[in-house]
Amino acid sequence: MTVIAFPRTHLRVPVAVGACLLSFTAFCVAQRVADVSMIDLMVYRAEGEAVRAGEDLYALRATDARLPTTYPPFAALLFTTLTLLDTASMRMLATAGNLGLLVTFVWLTLRLVGHARVAVAWWTAALAVWCEPVWTTLRYGQVNLLLAVLVLWDLSRRDSRRWAGAGIGVAAAIKLTPALFIVFLLLTGVVAAARHGTGRAWLRHACVAAASFAGATLLAAVVLPYDSRRFWTRMVFETGRVGLTEDTANQSLRGVLARLLHTGDPGGWWPAAAAAAAAAGLAVAVAAALRGERAWAATACAATGLLISPISWSHHWVWCVPMVVLLGSEAAARDHGSRAYRAAAAVLGLVFCSYALWWVPHGPGRPELHQGGWQSALSALYAAGACAFLALTALKVTRWRT
């Protein structure tokens, strides 16, 4: 009998794909057992229905939780497509789509860092699906992975591509926080032009992103003039519509300060902290970009945006995936300092997979305003992890130059 031996390298990808699909299946079963509501997806659908019916978008209160509309009008235009599906089909497609986006997110990160191995992407996605931000994104049916993929797809394109920047612009038109990437591109172009006279590609990238954002916003204004006027003149400034600042799910600097100070309004402490974080974080991102470290630059910019946003719910932190991937890749690529990066990757992975922020008192009655020392520390883990990542990125681009 002849035995056919297949090279091990030929089996790596099928094994990785099988392991990932098995993990995704277990994940879907776990979410089914947990009876996840996908409540944000239901809000998106309600927004699409309001647009089609010509109703006041920002007077909407959707689901039994009476949740308001908080995204720009352009997002509601896109959500009209959800009304074409029945609820069961919509939930199934949203889950499958988010799982596909997770694999794409990991792949784009690896491609940017220069380790685009298909098997590694599948294995990483198989593990990443269980971290708290990804779990909660799928639990709520959120758009976080879509926005992250639009940004990374944009930044992974060659500078000569005419439409490089369009993904970031569209992402910012759907949800405002990705707009910080436009600022990052602009600053990188200005600094590159001032130092080396080579900032044209970055500036073009920023201009295309800004134009795409403006175009999508103007389209929404034409179709939904009343809702657009209300959003850009009033609703965009009402951050309280999104939720309580001190909620333990809010992992921004503002949320951390609110819990530390035992108040729903941290006052002047937050603008000062946000300004300092924005300056430091963007400086690190620009420095990484100028050294050719686009994956590090993009993730540093994302971490900065999450820190300085008034509200950064735990599911917004899907950028923890490239944080851990980059630290792990750095550990694998280095001899000197590899232990430090390996330890950092392990600790950061533990932070985002521990679900520790939910170990503290939370829920009705605003118990977050009465957290003790260890409770405040646990409910600040994501912000602390982002600060640590930014510090390591700064160390990489200043001391361990590649």
Side-chain angles (χ1 to χ4, degrees):
M1 182 176 64
T2 302
V3 178
I4 301 176
F6 293 96
R8 292 181 60 185
T9 53
H10 291 177
L11 295 176
R12 288 176 183 172
V13 173
V15 170
V17 171
C20 186
L21 293 178
L22 183 63
S23 177
F24 283 2
T25 301
F27 177 89
C28 290
V29 170
Q31 292 238 322
R32 184 69 177 269
V33 171
D35 193 24
V36 297
S37 64
M38 302 190 79
I39 190 170
D40 287 345
L41 182 64
M42 301 308 296
V43 174
Y44 300 159
R45 181 189 176 94
E47 291 180 29
E49 290 174 341
V51 170
R52 294 188 64 181
E55 298 174 355
D56 186 339
L57 187 60
Y58 295 100
L60 176 69
R61 291 295 183 274
T63 74
D64 293 338
R66 307 291 295 168
L67 296 177
T69 301
T70 59
Y71 290 6
F74 179 70
L77 285 181
L78 299 182
F79 294 152
T80 57
T81 57
L82 298 177
T83 64
L84 304 177
L85 302 169
D86 60 82
T87 301
S89 297
M90 179 185 68
R91 289 165 63 100
M92 181 182 66
L93 288 175
T95 299
N98 266 326
L99 291 173
L101 286 168
L102 175 60
V103 176
T104 305
F105 190 33
V106 172
W107 167 254
L108 289 173
T109 301
L110 291 170
R111 189 170 74 172
L112 273 174
V113 82
H115 296 292
R117 297 177 181 174
V118 176
V120 174
W122 286 101
W123 278 112
T124 304
L127 297 174
V129 73
W130 297 98
C131 72
E132 191 275 337
V134 174
W135 167 278
T136 311
T137 287
L138 274 83
R139 171 190 174 189
Y140 292 151
Q142 264 281 344
V143 295
N144 305 304
L145 287 167
L146 171 62
L147 301 180
V149 165
L150 282 172
V151 169
L152 280 193
W153 171 80
D154 222 350
L155 293 176
S156 66
R157 305 181 76 189
R158 295 181 180 178
D159 292 338
S160 60
R161 297 282 183 90
R162 178 177 298 179
W163 293 104
I168 290 172
V170 171
I174 296 172
K175 195 171 184 177
L176 292 178
T177 46
L180 187 66
F181 283 94
I182 302 177
V183 178
F184 154 70
L185 292 170
L186 179 61
L187 289 175
T188 305
V190 170
V191 174
R195 289 184 180 178
H196 314 293
T198 58
R200 184 176 178 181
W202 291 101
L203 292 173
R204 184 175 63 247
H205 203 158
C207 289
V208 172
S212 300
F213 169 73
T217 302
L218 288 174
L219 173 63
V222 171
V223 179
L224 302 170
Y226 175 73
D227 292 321
S228 295
R229 184 169 64 252
R230 284 197 70 195
F231 179 82
W232 294 107
T233 61
R234 180 180 172 185
M235 300 304 171
V236 70
F237 303 108
E238 295 184 0
T239 57
R241 285 170 53 86
V242 181
L244 297 173
T245 301
E246 75 277 3
D247 194 315
T248 192
N250 181 15
Q251 292 293 299
S252 70
L253 288 175
R254 190 169 185 238
V256 171
L257 288 170
R259 292 186 290 273
L260 286 173
L261 299 174
H262 309 294
T263 176
D265 182 8
W269 290 102
W270 172 62
L282 285 172
V284 170
V286 170
L290 293 177
R291 297 197 182 283
E293 301 285 359
R294 288 204 170 200
W296 289 85
T299 309
C301 183
T304 303
L306 290 166
L307 286 172
I308 67 176
S309 176
I311 300 287
S312 292
W313 299 131
S314 68
H315 54 77
H316 294 168
W317 288 79
V318 293
W319 285 92
C320 69
V321 175
M323 287 184 197
V324 176
V325 167
L326 290 174
L327 292 171
S329 297
E330 193 69 17
R334 288 184 177 274
D335 293 325
H336 175 67
S338 62
R339 289 185 179 180
Y341 277 106
R342 190 176 297 112
V347 171
L348 205 59
L350 180 62
V351 163
F352 288 102
C353 290
S354 66
Y355 295 69
L357 74 162
W358 300 114
W359 299 355
V360 303
H362 61 278
R366 305 178 74 176
E368 291 94 339
L369 294 177
H370 309 287
Q371 288 183 357
W374 70 269
Q375 294 172 339
S376 296
L378 285 179
S379 61
L381 282 177
Y382 287 12
C387 290
F389 177 81
L390 289 173
L392 285 170
T393 305
L395 187 63
K396 172 181 171 60
V397 298
T398 54
R399 287 186 57 190
W400 295 334
R401 301 177 181 179
T402 56

